[in-house]
Amino acid sequence: MSLATNLPRVGEGNINLVQLSYRDYLSVEEINAIEHEVAILGQRQAAGIEAMKLVQKNRGWISDDCLYAVADLLQMPASQLEGIATFYNLIYRQPVGRYVIHLCDSISCHLTGFAQVSEAIKEYLGIDYGETTSDGMFTLLTNACLGSCDKAPAMMIGEDHFEHLTPQSATDILRQLCAENDKDELNLRE
Amino acid sequence: MTTDKPLTQHINQDKPLAMPEYIDVGGYRSVDKILQQMSAQDVQDVVKDSGLKGRGGAGFPTAMKWSFVPKFEDTDPRSGDDKYLICNADEMEPGTFKDRWLLEGVPHQLIEAMIIASYAIGANKAFIFLRGEYHLAAKRLQQALDEAYQQGYLGDNIRNSGYQLDLYLHTSAGRYICGEETALINALEGQRANPRAKPPFPQVSGLFGKPTIVNNVETLCNLPHIINHGADWFKQLSNNDDAGTKIYSVSGRVQRPGLWELPMGITVRELLYQRAGGLSPGLNLKGFLPGGASTDFLTVEHLDLVLGYDEVSAAGSRLGTGGIIVLDDQNCPVAMVLNLLKFFAQESCGFCTPCRDGTAWAVDALTRIEQGQGSQQDLDNLHKLCDFMWLGKTHCALAPGAVEPLQSALKYFHDDFEQHIDKGCCPYSGHH
Ligand SMILES: Cc1cc2nc3c(=O)[nH]c(=O)nc-3n(C[C@H](O)[C@H](O)[C@H](O)COP(=O)(O)O)c2cc1C
Ligand code: FES
């Protein structure tokens, strides 16, 4: 059951609808971690960005349910939190693949071979920017300068950074991730 | 024992010094010194005498910025109010990667520095605002913070001095505008990172409405060395009137791209040819941005320019972050400017019209020209946009930062723009 679909709708006039609590959607660990941030900043709403990052780390992306739950916990309007969620590049408001590829498209990478690496990755995955592969493995996004300009072109996958990319090395990295994933699944099945 | 590379002497990129090792090489000595022997005003005075200027891009004198934080008499009811220090570690200026080196390579130096700055302005709470993509830096900083708390250099009653400081790491969620100091404060308050109108300046009314100082990573990291070795020592490190060293960097198609801590005021030629080894084989220098994406292009005629704040300004650009981005003669200057403007258009917070729409219009016009479909009208419009988005006409400095590479490209690479329009294609790639 989704929290979003349970919110009272305009015109329904159903004032008895139970307001679902954040406790139904966030784990105790998540709530504690968010409350820790609140304590540091001293204001509940100030923890919104940290809260969404924490929840996203566990769940991959920020669904409507998560957004409502975090807003409830921080005692702020969901619309305000949505305005914040959509402002920041690293908060995902759509489902993403298991690996999110952030290829740097800023200037030093542009000067040193971004275009060729970009073409190779798009061709290998068969998707364009903003899309996810049909097997749910990869989402492809760009990123502003990753601070690897002297080792350009560069990309970030999850928390891992890769530098000195060539079309060959970039697709090799993706191939490697696929192989590891297959191995994981095999282990799980056994 | 002193060094001519104070900022980077203890850098270890593979395995930064843990707290005991860092203390063994003289780390945190400056904190003991200020807590035992110096008043907050003493610290401000020595930093003022040192001539330290902000390394975040604008080159504003650090001690002068600090001096705007109100000092209340003990009897004033506001004397107990909170004050904050924030370290700006949002480094997102394309072509800039110097702070990352300091954050990953010697995290304790920044913590030591932030204790000094907090003490100098009377802050008991401080934040490191780190860009979200710097995962390794986040891990190492958090570890260093934990160590500093354990060793009694952070928290209540630091080293039995009665001084208290809590220092926290905040990781951002990715947006260039967060680096602008008032936008950063909004981001830290959990809001959309739109810049605030000034005045009031953050020094008077910043985080949660309290006096707040925002300083760049590299700026702060100079402090322990100024405290330890004095203002005169700091001044003699440089080759020009700007004191200290600078972390310069070079990226683009050069032989040895990288980072170097060098005396403030070296020449472009020394940096580009002696350090970075010159252009990659078969390429020639066409131009360069001297200090990150938001600085004006300079060209071959500026090779003997001294890389100091006043000198680069006099040449029509800015020292900015000291990150040189090299344009070679086989990369298209129009495509380069288009890439830069796409960045600014994407990262505009959208608050003011000249920036939100102006950067997007510039991208449209540049795209047409680069694709060979541009006209003289597009070129005229680009010139107009440089005026519409200039300082004083926008809410913050992001749009003027976008104008700088654009206006200088139109000036220095005029022929290239004309050729794109005349030939109906990009002469560098031959595509139509
Ligand atoms: C759009 C924009 C982005 C900025 N990004 C950064 C940044 O990433 N890091 C930084 O230190 N300063 C950045 N600045 C400059 C800051 O606003 C501020 O001047 C600086 O942090 C002050 O530190 P300093 O006095 O130590 O130089 C940016 C400014 C603008 C207008
Ligand atoms: S421009 Fe790509 S890492 Fe800096």
Side-chain angles (χ1 to χ4, degrees):
Chain A
M1 216 171 42
S2 142
L3 181 63
T5 52
N6 275 286
L7 283 178
R9 290 213 173 78
V10 180
E12 277 185 352
N14 187 354
I15 50 164
N16 293 325
L17 248 183
V18 185
Q19 175 72 53
L20 293 183
S21 152
Y22 62 85
R23 285 194 195 81
D24 300 331
Y25 291 90
L26 300 176
S27 71
V28 175
E29 291 77 33
E30 284 169 335
I31 293 168
N32 289 344
I34 294 169
E35 289 295 352
H36 177 71
E37 295 301 327
V38 169
I40 289 175
L41 290 158
Q43 286 194 5
R44 298 198 71 73
Q45 305 189 354
I49 300 166
E50 288 286 352
M52 287 190 285
K53 286 182 72 174
L54 279 162
V55 172
Q56 178 169 286
K57 202 165 179 182
N58 292 337
R59 299 160 190 243
W61 64 295
I62 300 293
S63 63
D64 288 350
D65 287 354
C66 289
L67 189 89
Y68 282 115
V70 171
D72 183 31
L73 174 61
L74 296 179
Q75 296 163 16
M76 65 196 286
S79 57
Q80 191 185 334
L81 192 64
E82 172 73 328
I84 296 158
T86 53
F87 189 87
Y88 292 96
N89 298 329
L90 297 177
I91 306 282
Y92 311 134
R93 280 290 278 120
Q94 286 176 34
V96 290
R98 173 162 179 186
Y99 300 104
V100 184
I101 305 167
H102 287 268
L103 184 63
C104 172
D105 65 349
S106 287
I107 191 59
S108 307
C109 291
H110 162 86
L111 292 169
T112 53
F114 159 80
Q116 290 85 333
V117 173
S118 173
E119 277 313 308
I121 292 178
K122 284 200 288 189
E123 194 187 305
Y124 178 76
L125 297 176
I127 55 172
D128 209 334
Y129 291 98
E131 296 177 352
T132 300
T133 53
S134 56
D135 59 0
M137 273 286 282
F138 295 104
T139 298
L140 182 59
L141 300 172
T142 55
N143 208 96
C145 177
L146 288 166
S148 296
C149 325
D150 55 341
K151 304 181 183 74
M155 69 175 169
M156 172 177 88
I157 303 180
E159 298 197 354
D160 295 320
H161 292 243
F162 303 90
E163 302 173 326
H164 291 302
L165 295 177
T166 63
Q168 183 67 43
S169 73
T171 47
D172 282 349
I173 290 161
L174 303 185
R175 211 169 282 120
Q176 180 82 29
L177 287 173
C178 286
E180 277 169 26
N181 190 61
D182 289 348
K183 221 166 40 193
D184 285 356
E185 281 188 2
L186 219 67
N187 288 342
L188 273 180
R189 249 179 273 149
E190 271 165 10
Chain B
M1 201 181 64
T2 61
T3 161
D4 58 356
K5 290 184 178 31
L7 296 173
T8 57
Q9 57 183 327
H10 299 306
I11 279 199
N12 187 333
Q13 209 65 22
D14 298 326
K15 191 175 176 297
L17 297 182
M19 185 126 181
E21 300 155 1
Y22 184 67
I23 287 177
D24 278 350
V25 297
Y28 289 98
R29 226 178 47 206
S30 65
V31 171
D32 289 317
K33 181 167 174 183
I34 59 164
L35 294 179
Q36 287 163 17
Q37 304 169 19
M38 297 171 79
S39 68
Q41 191 57 48
D42 291 341
V43 176
Q44 293 208 14
D45 288 345
V46 64
V47 173
K48 181 169 177 224
D49 291 343
S50 77
L52 175 65
K53 290 181 185 171
R55 308 297 200 234
F60 194 82
T62 305
M64 193 192 295
K65 189 192 265 191
W66 291 356
S67 73
F68 299 139
V69 172
K71 298 179 190 72
F72 297 113
E73 299 289 330
D74 285 348
T75 49
D76 192 308
R78 292 168 297 179
S79 69
D81 272 8
D82 293 330
K83 292 175 194 142
Y84 299 105
L85 173 76
I86 304 174
C87 169
N88 191 341
D90 194 50
E91 189 165 73
M92 255 179 101
E93 175 89 4
T96 301
F97 43 106
K98 64 184 181 71
D99 295 340
R100 182 180 175 187
W101 200 27
L102 293 169
L103 295 163
E104 290 181 359
V106 51
H108 275 294
Q109 180 170 257
L110 179 64
I111 297 173
E112 180 180 2
M114 288 184 73
I115 301 171
I116 299 170
S118 301
Y119 180 79
I121 62 165
N124 298 113
K125 211 169 188 180
F127 295 90
I128 302 169
F129 189 97
L130 179 70
R131 69 176 295 197
E133 291 90 340
Y134 281 3
H135 297 104
L136 184 60
K139 215 164 73 189
R140 290 179 172 178
L141 280 169
Q142 191 56 57
Q143 196 170 346
L145 284 169
D146 293 345
E147 285 180 324
Y149 267 103
Q150 276 159 21
Q151 302 286 323
Y153 277 93
L154 288 174
D156 298 334
N157 192 16
I158 294 174
R159 309 285 288 165
N160 286 321
S161 65
Y163 178 61
Q164 177 222 329
L165 177 67
D166 282 307
L167 176 49
Y168 301 105
L169 175 66
H170 172 93
T171 60
S172 182
R175 205 62 202 263
Y176 171 62
I177 193 63
C178 293
E180 198 280 339
E181 60 184 5
T182 59
L184 184 154
I185 289 169
N186 275 338
L188 202 50
E189 289 184 8
Q191 306 181 44
R192 286 171 75 96
N194 295 332
R196 296 177 178 179
K198 294 190 246 189
F201 288 88
Q203 293 91 312
V204 178
S205 175
L207 186 64
F208 302 122
K210 303 294 182 194
T212 303
I213 289 291
V214 180
N215 275 138
N216 170 260
V217 174
E218 187 186 351
T219 312
L220 290 166
C221 286
N222 281 296
L223 297 174
H225 311 290
I226 293 172
I227 296 293
N228 284 334
H229 305 304
D232 290 335
W233 166 83
F234 190 70
K235 276 191 275 200
Q236 60 82 37
L237 287 172
S238 70
N239 289 349
N240 67 343
D241 283 347
D242 299 316
T245 62
K246 177 82 195 79
I247 300 185
Y248 293 101
S249 69
V250 181
S251 65
R253 292 202 280 186
V254 294
Q255 303 256 22
R256 290 189 301 274
L259 291 149
W260 301 269
E261 182 183 7
L262 297 167
M264 186 60 108
I266 59 148
T267 65
V268 179
R269 191 184 297 281
E270 181 181 348
L271 184 58
L272 218 52
Y273 290 91
Q274 282 176 30
R275 305 293 163 166
L279 278 282
S280 298
L283 301 177
N284 295 300
L285 180 66
K286 178 147 179 116
F288 61 93
L289 302 173
S294 60
T295 57
D296 286 84
F297 277 98
L298 295 173
T299 69
V300 184
E301 72 201 66
H302 298 108
L303 276 178
D304 291 308
L305 181 68
V306 166
L307 288 166
Y309 290 103
D310 293 345
E311 294 88 342
V312 182
S313 294
S317 186
R318 286 189 304 120
L319 179 60
T321 60
I324 288 196
I325 307 165
V326 171
L327 171 65
D328 57 73
D329 62 348
Q330 288 177 35
N331 259 311
C332 173
V334 178
M336 177 164 178
V337 179
L338 171 59
N339 176 280
L340 293 167
L341 266 290
K342 273 187 184 163
F343 167 81
F344 291 111
Q346 178 184 314
E347 296 299 330
S348 167
C349 80
F351 179 83
C352 74
T353 308
C355 178
R356 181 190 57 241
D357 289 354
T359 50
W361 286 344
V363 167
D364 286 348
L366 287 164
T367 303
R368 276 194 296 276
I369 295 173
E370 172 60 10
Q371 290 178 345
Q373 286 141 18
S375 62
Q376 286 300 328
Q377 184 66 49
D378 287 319
L379 214 48
D380 290 346
N381 285 344
L382 285 174
H383 281 287
K384 279 190 197 144
L385 284 171
C386 288
D387 177 29
F388 295 159
M389 295 194 288
W390 193 236
L391 285 170
K393 297 171 185 170
T394 59
H395 185 52
C396 83
L398 186 140
V403 167
E404 290 181 33
L406 177 59
Q407 67 184 10
S408 48
L410 290 169
K411 173 172 147 195
Y412 289 120
F413 310 129
H414 179 78
D415 292 351
D416 289 289
F417 282 88
E418 291 286 351
Q419 270 186 32
H420 278 75
I421 294 169
D422 291 348
K423 290 206 171 101
C425 68
C426 171
Y428 289 81
S429 66
H431 75 222
H432 293 265

